[in-house]
Each structure stands twice: as C-alpha cells, then as structure tokens.
Amino acid sequence: MYPSSVSFKDVLLDHDYHKGTTEQLFLAQPNDASRIRFCLQSLYEEPPGSLTSLPDATEMCKPKNDSAALRARQIGNDYFASEDFISAMDWYNRSICYAPKDSENLALGYANRSAVFLKTGFFKFCLENIEIALNLNCPSGVKEKLLKRQEDCLEIMSKRRDNQEIYDAAYDPWSLTHPEGKKTVPMVIEGLEFVKNDFGSSIFAARDLMPGEVLMIEKAYSNHVKKHSEFTRCANCLNQNYLNLIPCDRCTKAMFCSTKCQLEGDRRFHKYECKIKDGMIKFFPNYVWPIGVAIRAVLRAFTMFDDPQKLKSFIEKIEKEGDNIDFLNFSEKEHFRAAYFLPPNILRTPVELFKHTREVAAAWYFLQRFTELPFHLTNRALEDLFLSLLFRFYEIAITNGIILCNKNEDLDTYATGIFTFDKLMKHSCMPNVVRINDKDVLRIVAKRKIEAGNELVINYSEPYSVFNRKQRQEILQTQFNIYCACEACLNDYPVTDEMVPSNLVLGKVICDDLKELNRSFDKNLARMLIQKYQKFIVENESNPKLLELYVAEGVLIVALCTLMFGPPLKNQFKSI
C-alpha cells in the first residue's frame, strides 16, 4: 500500500535522518492538526515519481472518455447476449458514466439499457431510457430501432404488469418488532436496557427476545459504496433502484438513484470528492475504508451548518455535555453527536499513529489543493477543526466501520458505513444478534432466543463457524485490541467444515428448505420457514456445535430478508 505501508524505518532511510529524529519530532507535535501538517511536509519532500510522492492535477479526476465508454458498452453487449443482465447493466452504467455529455456513446448507453429493461419486464424504465436516448446525440439508425422498441414496449405493457410495480409491492421492510419502544428511543425496542460502566456500554434484554425479532433500526451516519459497486448503487443512499441510475455530470465514479439524491449528495460531499476521486483511489488502494468514509463523515458535519464556525461552537458545546443523546429528538445534530463519541482506535503504536496520520495528511493534500474546501475554512482555527475531525473520524472508522452486505445475495458486500448503536454491543464469536442491511439502513435482529437479563452480543469480525479460534483471536487483537473469552473461544468450538450433522435426514431437510427458498424467494414459504426455524433454534440452542442449528439460523435470516425485501436483484432481472 502507499502511503500507509511506509514505516518510520522507511522514512528514516529515505530521508537519511539521524535515528529517531523523525519520530521524536512527530510525537512532539501538540495536537492532531499539527501532526497532520508535519506529515504533509514529509510527503512534500518525497522524491518525484516515488511510490509515495503526491500526484499532480492530471491524476485527480479522469475526464469523460468516448473510448472507455465504447469499451464498457461492448463488454455489456457480451453479457446481454448471454442473458447475464445484471453484469450487462453494470457495464452499460459504466459506459453512461464514462461517456462525455451529449455524446453519441452516452445516447447508446441509455439505448442499450432500455433493451435490458424491456427484456426483463421493467417497461417504465425502458420507456424512460428510450426517451433520454432520443433526446441525446442518437444516430438515425438507432433512433429507428428505439422507436420500434418503444412501440413494442407499449404493446407489452397493455398485457403485462410492470416488474417495477411487482417488486415495489414486495418490498416491505419491517419496523421494530415492538413499536411501543419508540416512546423512549425511536430506533430501539422498549425491551432493552443500556448500561454504561468503566469498560464501555452494554445492552441487555429486559424481557425474553425471540429469534427473528427486529431490535434496532439505524441509518448510517456516513457511508461509502465499495469500488466497482459505484455503478450499481447510489453514491448517497446506496439504493440500487433496479440499476436505473443517474451519472455524475463531472466524474466517472459516481451514480445516483434520483435527482433528489444527486442534489443532496453533491451538496453534502460529492462536489468535493468528485474532483479528487481518481487520484484518491490511485493513491489509496483501500480508499473506501477508512479514509473515504471518514472524509464523507467530516464533510457531512461541515455542511450541516451554513457557517463552519457554527459547527465549531456546536462541538465545543457537546464536548462539555458529553454523549447525552436526545433520542426523542434525534436530529442530524444528535446523530453527529452519537457518531462523534464513538470509541476511536486509540491503542496504537507510534509507528501505527504515524502511518494513520500520513494517510490523513495525504487526504488533506487532495482536498486543500484540488477542491474549493479551503475557501470555507477562513482561518487557522477552522482548518484545525477540519483536520482534527478528519483524523478523529479516520480512527473511528477503523474501529467502527461496518461492511454492508446482502444476506440473500450470496453475501455480496457493497459498502462500508459508520453506525452509532451497533458498537454499543460487545463482541462475541458466538453472537445472539445479527446485522441485516438494506441500502444505508442497518437492522439488528435476534438470531437466537435471548432471555431477560442476558446481554446482546454481536460479531465484530468472523463467527466461530468460519475461522478457528487462533485466526479469530489474531484478527480481533490486531483490529480491535480484543481478547475474546466467549463460549466458542473458551471451548474451542469447531468451524463449520469440521462439524458433523447429528441427523443426516434432518440436515438434508434443512438444506432442502434453504435451497428452495433461495430458488423461489416465495413469501408464503418464508413465513412458514420463519415459524418452523424459530421453534427449532429455541429447542436446540443448548447445543451450539450442532451443524443443523447453524444452518437453521441461515434459513431464518434468508427468510426474514425475503419477507422484508422481496427477491434479490439476480432474481428480478430474468428474461420475461
């Protein structure tokens, strides 16, 4: 990685400093802002052309490019021919993103996208994309095909229901299982108790909770779509919108689900990151997390007020008040307060601290040199505020960043987000709750029966069924400085591959249920399986080494996702 792979030793060798001088000067800086400026100066001194030298303006934002648009569309055509419609749409969206404004390639990208929508039964989207293509620089021969496609689409629409309408009706995300809890904390059911002590926060069940109950619902404070998912997810809210996305007019790395999201995303963060996205991705191989999430978190904070000085005053206020969050009036300011007081990654060696600070310094270089952000930071105090917040959220993202994935789409990961309630729960390799993601919203769901008085525990890394104890402990200690003493670690429970079914007939029944649900995503079947496996999990949870129990939990989660969100995208994009 560059620059984060550069250690003190590397820096000392590169610059021929006396041993210890750089480290001593760095650690002598009085605050985070000063350390960031110190590291930025060291980056300026990197030899031009070296791995860690700072890029120039030519690498910041790749211009729209007809050749890239054409190539992407050709790849999309190959996928379309093989009826891999999701991959085809991914590449058609890339083509639309890459194509210059009003170019022929832009028109052709929308034209090709309309063909997919017609083939898969999304008729309104088909007509919409045809209209866009016709209003652009569309070749006359293609116009004739589009007008014919338009006629065909209208004829089919008169006989068949639009798939968008069908799948919109199937989308029914659950609210909290016990909505009366909204009287106290809007995002959490009433039957939970929050406890603070010297070791942090904990959440306990005040009554018995059953598998499948939705216990918490929270929208991300900050998120960032992962690399390559930027062509299938909204850069603002992470919505797929059946892949009918709007490209950014300036860059080739962002799409939005609606004009509303595009305007909001542009105002809150994208007008800054848009100008440096390509350079950042090249400089930071793991750009999305933590630095990308941190940048968006800070930009959202600064655009929360019409004057950065108001943010400074607000932070001074909450520093005095602490994390006493007003849940009954959970405004954007209170959401910021909750995120601001998340535990940062503070257990660092000096080398790690230096590496992290260099990354933040490099990000500041991009923002201050190639965006208009410095014009809003009108004095040194506001610049210090921005730098300290950027470093703070960088460290928060390392510890609290959550990878978002589709539970019913082969665990496909699509983004990383910062959530404020999730990290109030302690870690366990054998958790009793699980995360279910939808766009930029996180639901915490009970996966086992949780008796009154027991603590809610969630998995920070990988469950005991995936990695063995040694592997889990190494990950937990490296990333979270945790030595886990959960039941699975104390008893060294086997991973899934080492588990043996206690009843082959029963194991086959559970696997067949999962296969059928993954095939049909039928809501009636999902309801039946939820009832069936809620009972099974409660009856068998005393034997955590039972393979059937682990698979049953998986069936329960897929069934819950089916009821809430309908079939996954791979099932929606089928030839009609």
Side-chain angles (χ1 to χ4, degrees):
M1 290 176 57
Y2 34 93
S4 59
S5 63
V6 178
S7 67
F8 272 122
K9 181 179 178 181
D10 296 325
V11 174
L12 294 173
L13 290 174
D14 285 348
H15 296 281
D16 196 28
Y17 291 139
H18 295 295
K19 186 176 180 180
T21 302
T22 300
E23 179 176 357
Q24 291 167 2
L25 289 173
F26 171 75
L27 295 176
Q29 302 302 313
N31 52 47
D32 291 335
S34 296
R35 284 191 287 269
I36 291 168
R37 292 191 179 94
F38 176 87
C39 285
L40 180 58
Q41 184 59 44
S42 75
L43 287 169
Y44 277 133
E45 295 170 1
E46 294 288 341
S50 68
L51 289 179
T52 53
S53 62
L54 294 168
D56 58 27
T58 61
E59 299 180 82
M60 288 303 100
C61 184
K62 293 179 181 177
K64 303 280 187 177
N65 183 285
D66 270 317
S67 297
L70 172 61
R71 177 59 182 154
R73 197 175 73 255
Q74 289 172 337
I75 295 173
N77 290 341
D78 292 337
Y79 281 117
F80 180 78
S82 63
E83 297 202 345
D84 182 349
F85 297 124
I86 293 180
S87 296
M89 287 293 284
D90 184 341
W91 283 96
Y92 289 152
N93 279 345
R94 291 169 192 255
S95 182
I96 289 169
C97 242
Y98 298 158
K101 187 178 180 180
D102 298 326
S103 69
E104 180 178 302
N105 273 308
L106 183 60
L108 293 174
Y110 283 106
N112 285 54
R113 207 163 71 170
S114 73
V116 178
F117 283 132
L118 178 60
K119 188 79 171 176
T120 55
F122 291 89
F123 307 123
K124 292 178 183 177
F125 286 150
C126 173
L127 295 175
E128 177 185 315
N129 279 263
I130 288 173
E131 189 67 25
I132 294 172
L134 290 173
N135 289 329
L136 292 169
N137 185 21
C138 192
S140 57
V142 175
K143 282 186 178 180
E144 294 175 6
K145 290 182 181 180
L146 288 176
L147 292 172
K148 177 64 169 62
R149 185 175 296 158
Q150 193 175 52
E151 291 178 8
D152 294 342
C153 184
L154 290 169
E155 182 180 353
I156 300 173
M157 282 182 73
S158 65
K159 303 173 183 178
R160 186 185 179 99
R161 192 179 176 193
D162 195 310
N163 270 350
Q164 181 193 1
E165 182 182 341
I166 294 172
Y167 295 130
D168 277 353
Y171 181 75
D172 184 26
W174 290 4
S175 58
L176 296 170
T177 306
H178 296 271
E180 67 271 14
K182 292 185 178 181
K183 295 176 183 178
T184 53
V185 182
M187 302 82 71
V188 178
I189 67 168
E190 188 176 28
L192 299 181
E193 293 182 348
F194 293 76
V195 178
K196 287 186 178 181
N197 53 43
D198 293 339
F199 302 101
S201 298
S202 298
I203 305 177
F204 291 86
R207 59 171 180 78
D208 289 353
L209 304 172
M210 297 299 292
E213 289 196 39
V214 180
L215 311 180
M216 306 182 202
I217 301 176
E218 184 187 3
K219 186 179 178 68
Y221 175 72
S222 175
N223 70 72
H224 201 299
V225 68
K226 75 168 190 177
K227 188 177 181 181
H228 299 314
S229 290
E230 62 260 46
F231 306 106
T232 57
R233 293 271 177 179
C234 176
N236 185 48
C237 73
L238 307 180
N239 184 11
Q240 289 180 300
N241 196 38
Y242 307 105
L243 305 182
N244 191 44
L245 302 176
I246 302 168
C248 172
D249 292 333
R250 303 180 300 268
C251 75
T252 62
K253 290 291 190 297
M255 302 192 83
F256 300 89
C257 65
S258 65
T259 302
K260 179 182 177 182
C261 255
Q262 186 175 26
L263 291 173
E264 180 184 357
D266 213 51
R267 180 178 70 85
R268 301 308 299 268
F269 58 86
H270 191 61
K271 66 181 177 183
Y272 301 110
E273 69 174 22
C274 177
K275 299 177 180 180
I276 59 174
K277 198 77 173 283
D278 289 302
M280 293 285 283
I281 291 172
K282 182 176 180 180
F283 199 73
F284 298 103
N286 296 321
Y287 165 68
V288 171
W289 175 86
I291 194 65
V293 174
I295 288 173
R296 285 195 178 182
V298 178
L299 291 175
R300 282 189 178 276
F302 270 80
T303 53
M304 184 167 56
F305 298 92
D306 56 7
D307 180 356
Q309 188 62 46
K310 293 180 181 178
L311 174 62
K312 186 174 185 298
S313 299
F314 180 68
I315 291 176
E316 291 170 352
K317 174 176 177 288
I318 64 175
E319 285 278 10
K320 295 177 182 178
E321 298 172 346
D323 59 346
N324 297 313
I325 302 163
D326 184 357
F327 292 111
L328 295 180
N329 298 289
F330 198 70
S331 62
E332 185 178 7
K333 292 179 183 178
E334 290 302 295
H335 202 179
F336 170 79
R337 183 202 298 259
Y340 182 84
F341 285 108
L342 284 170
N345 173 43
I346 58 174
L347 298 171
R348 307 169 300 255
T349 65
V351 172
E352 290 171 328
L353 178 62
F354 181 71
K355 289 164 64 176
H356 295 177
T357 309
R358 275 175 68 97
E359 285 214 354
V360 175
W364 172 235
Y365 163 80
F366 287 98
L367 288 165
Q368 71 156 339
R369 182 166 179 182
F370 303 108
T371 78
E372 65 272 24
L373 180 64
F375 293 107
H376 302 291
L377 307 177
T378 53
N379 55 56
R380 180 76 170 218
L382 290 178
E383 186 178 295
D384 283 354
L385 175 66
F386 185 90
L387 293 178
S388 62
L389 272 183
L390 186 57
F391 187 81
R392 185 186 188 99
F393 274 104
Y394 178 96
E395 297 292 340
I396 285 173
I398 288 177
T399 305
N400 301 278
I402 295 173
I403 296 174
L404 306 182
C405 68
N406 294 312
K407 297 292 186 183
N408 61 348
E409 289 201 49
D410 303 320
L411 299 180
D412 175 47
T413 61
Y414 60 87
T416 300
I418 294 176
F419 296 85
T420 58
F421 278 97
D422 183 273
K423 292 302 179 181
L424 296 179
M425 292 178 286
K426 295 291 193 300
H427 164 82
S428 173
C429 298
M430 199 172 79
N432 52 23
V433 298
V434 65
R435 305 177 182 98
I436 293 181
N437 315 127
D438 173 41
K439 304 171 188 174
D440 62 347
V441 174
L442 186 69
R443 283 173 174 78
I444 302 298
V445 178
K447 63 182 295 188
R448 296 190 177 183
K449 181 180 179 181
I450 307 172
E451 295 182 351
N454 285 352
E455 186 176 1
L456 273 61
V457 287
I458 200 163
N459 187 266
Y460 286 5
S461 180
E462 295 291 347
Y464 74 94
S465 55
V466 178
F467 287 168
N468 63 39
R469 180 173 61 182
K470 181 181 178 182
Q471 293 170 321
R472 296 195 309 271
Q473 293 289 356
E474 288 177 352
I475 294 171
L476 292 168
Q477 290 175 33
T478 299
Q479 187 166 346
F480 304 103
N481 197 44
I482 291 174
Y483 176 79
C484 185
C486 72
E487 181 182 344
C489 287
L490 290 176
N491 296 288
D492 197 11
Y493 287 159
V495 298
T496 305
D497 291 344
E498 297 173 356
M499 296 181 185
V500 178
S502 62
N503 185 316
L504 292 177
V505 175
L506 176 60
K508 184 177 185 306
V509 169
I510 299 174
C511 288
D512 287 345
D513 282 344
L514 182 58
K515 288 177 182 177
E516 177 58 24
L517 184 58
N518 277 325
R519 184 194 66 80
S520 66
F521 290 97
D522 179 78
K523 290 207 169 194
N524 290 326
L525 175 62
R527 290 188 187 93
M528 185 270 289
L529 292 179
I530 287 172
Q531 293 180 349
K532 176 180 178 180
Y533 287 108
Q534 278 178 328
K535 181 180 179 182
F536 180 86
I537 290 168
V538 171
E539 291 176 347
N540 292 275
E541 63 181 3
S542 61
N543 185 5
K545 291 188 285 186
L546 187 68
L547 179 60
E548 293 93 323
L549 177 62
Y550 176 75
V551 180
E553 291 174 350
V555 178
L556 176 66
I557 299 307
V558 175
L560 288 169
C561 290
T562 299
L563 271 189
M564 287 192 275
F565 313 132
L569 202 64
K570 63 184 179 183
N571 284 56
Q572 294 171 356
F573 274 76
K574 299 284 188 180
S575 182
I576 60 174

